[in-house]
Amino acid sequence: MNWDPTLNQIYELLDHNRYTKAIKLIENQLAKQPENQLYLSLKAVALARSSSGNPAEASSICDKLINAKTPIMNENILRHLGLALKDLTQWDKAVTLYERSFNHLNVPDPRIGEMLFLSLVRCEQFNKQQIVAQKLNKAYPQERKYLFWAIVSMVSGYRSQNNDLMVTVASKQLSKTLDSYRQNPAKVTTEEFGEIVRYHVTLLMSNKDYNGAIQQVLLEDEPFGKTLEPFDRKSLLAECWHKSGGENVSLSNALYIQLLENEK
């Protein structure tokens, strides 16, 4: 579709909350092209946001586009519908919308995948968000955030279900990633590696694997050197020692005292 100058006016009106005028312009265009998905999606946004609008009509338009014969692949239309569904607080419909588009392609579209992932987060559908993150990570391994999304989804599922197995799996996956980065340091910066170490230690402690966490903190991560800042390493180590109990509590207390004195 060629760019219609009227779209600039509509976007301007929406940006300034002038929804009634925006709806009028949109309806003028829909009179000429009643099935135009872009204008329909914009109308849904205006109706959902306007104090004098019609939420039921906005919802009906969203339903029509969500259930279109061919999944919507236009990113602008998807974003418009996402905004309308957000204002209507219909998160489950947003999941259906993005899911159809995401699954329509053999190779995942990262932008649509991210929309789907975030909508699943809002609905607390941990298993599905983990699957989406894993698909994105497999298709785009250079984007390290997708791996972390998958791991965070595992942990969220674990916390919601009190399932110790999930955090163990997440920890093993992260450990495997750490080993991979140690073997090929060009894959990750020292700062990024430090963030992974912190997260791994947190996972180990949440699974009460304090000895594993202690070993991870004490590890000399060559060729990176000690990737954690000295204060971070010591505070994490003190926490691990304290939670592991026994004679380590004395070590923990001594380290806490040292940290407090250094802060004076």
Side-chain angles (χ1 to χ4, degrees):
M1 184 185 77
N2 294 327
W3 183 261
D4 185 344
T6 307
L7 284 169
N8 292 331
Q9 300 175 50
I10 294 170
Y11 284 123
E12 182 76 14
L13 291 168
L14 291 175
D15 286 342
H16 291 85
N17 304 328
R18 299 173 66 184
Y19 302 117
T20 302
K21 286 192 173 183
I23 291 170
K24 186 175 181 180
L25 276 180
I26 294 167
E27 288 180 338
N28 288 341
Q29 297 303 311
L30 286 172
K32 307 171 191 175
Q33 321 169 59
E35 298 302 317
N36 186 295
Q37 293 182 335
L38 181 59
Y39 286 115
L40 284 170
S41 66
L42 285 168
K43 185 176 181 180
V45 173
L47 289 169
R49 291 186 170 182
S50 174
S51 57
S52 59
N54 187 334
E57 185 181 356
S59 182
S60 177
I61 292 172
C62 290
D63 289 343
K64 176 180 178 179
L65 295 178
I66 289 170
N67 296 309
K69 185 176 180 180
T70 302
I72 294 170
M73 304 307 297
N74 182 291
E75 188 177 342
N76 288 327
I77 297 173
L78 288 172
R79 291 194 184 280
H80 297 159
L81 291 173
L83 290 172
L85 292 167
K86 177 183 177 182
D87 290 324
L88 295 168
T89 63
Q90 295 179 353
W91 305 116
D92 55 331
K93 290 185 180 180
V95 169
T96 303
L97 169 69
Y98 298 136
E99 210 164 31
R100 288 194 70 207
S101 303
F102 183 73
N103 293 331
H104 188 64
L105 299 174
N106 292 327
V107 178
D109 183 300
R111 293 175 296 276
I112 296 175
E114 291 179 14
M115 293 182 203
L116 173 57
F117 180 84
L118 294 174
S119 66
L120 289 166
V121 169
R122 293 189 184 99
C123 293
E124 297 186 350
Q125 295 188 30
F126 303 120
N127 290 338
K128 281 190 174 183
Q129 70 189 51
Q130 179 187 333
I131 291 170
V132 170
Q134 287 173 330
K135 285 183 178 179
L136 289 170
N137 181 57
K138 183 177 180 180
Y140 308 99
Q142 71 278 10
E143 291 290 341
R144 285 180 288 273
K145 65 182 177 182
Y146 297 141
L147 173 61
F148 291 108
W149 285 6
I151 294 171
V152 169
S153 299
M154 284 186 191
V155 176
S156 299
Y158 150 74
R159 287 174 178 163
S160 69
Q161 301 169 14
N162 294 321
N163 187 340
D164 291 343
L165 176 62
M166 291 185 74
V167 77
T168 301
V169 171
S171 185
K172 286 183 177 179
Q173 184 174 354
L174 194 51
S175 180
K176 183 178 179 181
T177 304
L178 283 166
D179 290 339
S180 168
Y181 289 158
R182 288 191 188 102
Q183 294 168 13
N184 187 355
K187 283 186 176 181
V188 64
T189 66
T190 301
E191 291 75 15
E192 289 170 328
F193 191 83
E195 290 179 9
I196 299 172
V197 171
R198 287 188 193 90
Y199 197 74
H200 192 203
V201 170
T202 302
L203 278 176
L204 290 168
M205 286 197 292
S206 68
N207 204 33
K208 299 182 180 180
D209 183 4
Y210 303 119
N211 289 331
I214 290 168
Q215 291 302 313
Q216 183 63 65
V217 177
L218 292 175
L219 190 62
E220 182 73 23
D221 293 312
E222 296 294 353
F224 298 94
K226 289 183 172 61
T227 56
L228 297 172
E229 292 294 326
F231 182 88
D232 290 342
R233 292 183 76 251
K234 289 179 179 178
S235 60
L236 279 172
L237 187 56
E239 184 178 359
C240 292
W241 275 338
H242 181 77
K243 289 186 175 180
S244 64
E247 61 183 20
N248 286 338
V249 173
S250 298
L251 294 171
S252 170
N253 291 337
L255 193 49
Y256 276 132
I257 291 171
Q258 181 187 357
L259 290 171
L260 289 171
E261 288 178 346
N262 290 340
E263 286 295 295
K264 291 179 181 178

